[in-house]
Amino acid sequence: MWTAMTGGRGRAALVGAVASALRRIGLALLAAVLVSLTTATVLVVVSLVIDGAQAWRDAPYGWVGVFALALAFGLPAALMFGVLVAPVAALAGRVHRLWSVLTCVLGGGVLVLITTSLSFAVLGLLGGLTYAGLEERFIARRRPGPGADL
């Protein structure tokens, strides 16, 4: 009966909303993994430059440890980001694309600052920026090209 009253649009809207929420959470988790990989790589390279002899022996263990630590803090924050910040950023992006980027960056930083410390908040800023870039690439892939209407 509900389908007959709404012409099937109610179910389509619900499926669209769920798909959009899952996409935002998935992109937020991907951003957390990318930032964790980058953080681990940069920190291990810096340790190799500073203390070359000992660092070469410990580099694989250090990289795995830093990656695991960053991911342990990053994944829960990414889930919260996907649920709390990403929908607000999508609404801000309707006004202008830069508002969406600013909302992602500040939202990621503040969210991680609330849950951890200032040093991890920098990773939240980077995660928000990474999410904004991933979201922009996803949206750009869905837009029709310049000659699509010909």
Side-chain angles (χ1 to χ4, degrees), residues 20-97:
S20 180
L22 290 176
R23 184 195 77 230
R24 288 180 183 134
I25 291 172
L27 287 177
L29 291 173
L30 178 61
V33 170
L34 291 174
V35 169
S36 297
L37 285 170
T38 304
T39 301
T41 304
V42 167
L43 289 177
V44 167
V45 167
V46 167
S47 72
L48 289 173
V49 170
I50 292 174
D51 182 27
Q54 180 65 27
W56 279 106
R57 285 181 267 151
D58 297 336
Y61 306 112
W63 188 86
V64 169
V66 171
F67 175 65
L69 179 68
L71 206 56
F73 285 107
L75 289 181
L79 285 173
M80 289 188 297
F81 182 92
V83 171
L84 299 174
V85 178
V88 175
L91 289 175
R94 291 183 181 177
V95 175
H96 196 277
R97 184 178 59 86

